Amino acid sequence: MNFPLRKLAAIDIGSNAVRCQISAVLFYEGRYRLKRVEYVRFPMRLGEDVFATGEISPAKEEKFVKFLHSLRLLMEVHDVAHYLVCATSAMRSATNGAAIAARVHRELGMEIKVIDGQDEAFYINRVIEHVLEDKRHYLHIDVGGGSTEFNIYHDRRKVAAQSFEIGSIRRMQQEESGEAGTEAQAELWARMEAWVRHNARQYHVTRAIGTGGNINKIYSLTSSAPDKHITRRGIEATLTRLSGLTMTERVNVAMLNPDRADVIIPAGHIYLSAMQWANVTTMVVPDIGLKDGMLQALFEEFFDEMNPEGGHPAVLPIPDVRNQPAERE
């Protein structure tokens, strides 16, 4: 049976991986929902080049263009109506990022939107608000490969936001090269701590929200985590256990992908440090992020087309994370 579905797609070009999610727009009994029908993740690791040399290498550029070509074909097979491609820290920092984006547009007809930390927070905010509880005040922590985004939510309203150029790949490379202990890095880390402490105290933060591939994986490795919540003690225990394993053991015993095994501890320490600075002991890990916000934005932009009968939705769609296959790797 050929059941027609309108589909949207979001491609998130991160510093560690490129993710593509294709979702169908469902409408039933007056309610809209975006249901995931396809999800592809590839560890492109653009940040590995960029944060070490300042540019994307020719070899990685070729692989990047080939992968985007495959995603374009995948979207064609799915008859995707509209899609959005966003790139974050690595493409933004690469000296040849604009040239590569131009090549992708020229050869594949795909436009890459290179966004900054504020834009990234804007997209994520579209879906984070659905997991907030009334009369609770949250610190949202999103650790990427090249940067960390903080947002403060007070009574469901975002009241403060800041982006710092500290991420999992950057931190890993700095630790390996000894640069993590430099005066410049210590100053950056101190500014991040000061921002979190000040805003957490000012807005009476009582709980954290964590997004990003690394906290998703830490959550899945913490067996005591109930109902999308994880404790600071649980994160500490998981990081201690992983720190005691070699890379070979992390891959073959803990069953981590290689591109996750080397960055999960540097990323975990950022989440853990932020929770300590904010003096919170519990974190919500809802398994949503940039791609979900991008899909929400697409739905809103093309709503008239999604609903030919006209009018406006009584309730905007929310990501159906409860009933979809887990992607916490």
Side-chain angles (χ1 to χ4, degrees):
M1 178 180 179
N2 184 20
F3 191 89
L5 291 173
R6 300 288 290 176
K7 297 176 185 177
L8 303 171
I11 299 175
D12 168 12
I13 303 170
S15 300
N16 192 37
V18 178
R19 301 171 179 85
C20 174
Q21 180 170 317
I22 299 174
S23 292
V25 179
L26 305 182
F27 180 74
Y28 184 67
E29 295 184 344
R31 182 183 180 86
Y32 287 88
R33 184 172 294 279
L34 296 176
K35 181 183 185 301
R36 183 187 308 149
V37 295
E38 190 79 71
Y39 176 75
V40 179
R41 175 187 182 275
F42 184 78
M44 190 64 62
R45 308 212 85 167
L46 297 178
E48 202 169 46
D49 285 353
V50 175
F51 305 142
T53 68
E55 64 180 16
I56 298 169
S57 67
K60 193 150 291 186
E61 176 183 342
E62 293 305 316
K63 183 176 290 188
F64 176 65
V65 174
K66 286 180 180 178
F67 185 61
L68 287 186
H69 188 192
S70 72
L71 294 182
R72 192 190 74 175
L73 294 175
L74 180 65
M75 291 190 295
E76 288 179 6
V77 169
H78 271 281
D79 294 321
V80 167
H82 300 284
Y83 68 90
L84 180 61
V85 186
C86 287
T88 55
S89 184
M91 284 283 286
R92 186 169 67 238
S93 302
T95 56
N96 58 343
I100 293 175
R103 176 187 172 187
V104 168
H105 187 264
R106 182 175 64 254
E107 296 183 9
L108 304 178
M110 300 172 71
E111 181 179 354
I112 298 176
K113 183 178 181 181
V114 181
I115 61 175
D116 59 19
Q118 288 185 332
D119 291 330
E120 191 169 354
F122 171 77
Y123 282 119
I124 296 176
N125 183 62
R126 292 177 176 279
V127 286
I128 284 291
E129 61 187 25
H130 295 298
V131 302
L132 303 180
E133 297 179 21
D134 290 332
K135 297 182 180 180
R136 283 191 179 272
H137 316 311
Y138 296 86
L139 168 66
H140 172 223
I141 312 163
D142 184 77
V143 180
S147 63
T148 295
E149 321 299 331
F150 292 114
N151 301 285
I152 302 287
Y153 293 91
H154 186 82
D155 287 337
R156 290 183 174 271
R157 182 171 59 92
K158 186 162 75 170
V159 293
Q162 187 64 49
S163 177
F164 294 90
E165 292 296 293
I166 298 177
S168 59
I169 294 180
R170 283 189 198 269
R171 194 69 182 170
M172 177 188 68
Q173 291 179 335
Q174 290 164 357
E175 289 174 355
E176 290 176 347
S177 65
E179 293 180 8
T182 63
E183 184 176 344
Q185 288 304 313
E187 181 183 347
L188 181 57
W189 191 266
R191 283 197 289 109
M192 186 164 71
E193 177 180 355
W195 190 93
V196 172
R197 286 188 183 278
H198 171 75
N199 285 279
R201 183 171 57 251
Q202 179 177 354
Y203 295 107
H204 310 290
V205 164
T206 57
R207 180 174 289 182
I209 298 178
T211 55
N214 286 295
I215 196 62
N216 286 339
K217 193 59 185 178
I218 291 171
Y219 172 94
S220 70
L221 293 172
T222 306
S223 57
S224 61
D227 301 326
K228 301 187 185 301
H229 290 70
I230 192 172
T231 65
R232 199 165 82 194
R233 182 175 297 179
I235 296 173
E236 289 175 339
T238 298
L239 293 180
T240 298
R241 178 162 60 89
L242 291 175
S243 297
L245 302 177
T246 64
M247 271 292 294
T248 299
E249 290 170 333
R250 291 178 199 175
V251 172
N252 293 282
V253 179
M255 301 299 290
L256 299 178
N257 286 341
D259 67 292
R260 182 72 65 209
D262 57 354
V263 296
I264 191 169
I265 293 174
H269 285 154
I270 298 175
Y271 288 106
L272 190 59
S273 296
M275 291 181 72
Q276 292 169 339
W277 299 333
N279 195 29
V280 297
T281 59
T282 307
M283 175 184 283
V284 183
V285 187
D287 194 19
I288 54 179
L290 176 60
K291 60 184 174 17
D292 301 288
M294 292 163 61
L295 288 165
Q296 183 93 353
L298 277 174
F299 173 84
E300 294 174 20
E301 181 179 356
F302 296 101
F303 173 72
D304 289 340
E305 181 181 321
M306 298 292 106
N307 178 28
E309 296 180 359
H312 295 282
V315 180
L316 291 175
I318 61 174
D320 191 8
V321 297
R322 293 167 299 175
N323 301 316
Q324 294 176 358
E327 60 179 64
R328 291 191 177 271
E329 179 56 47

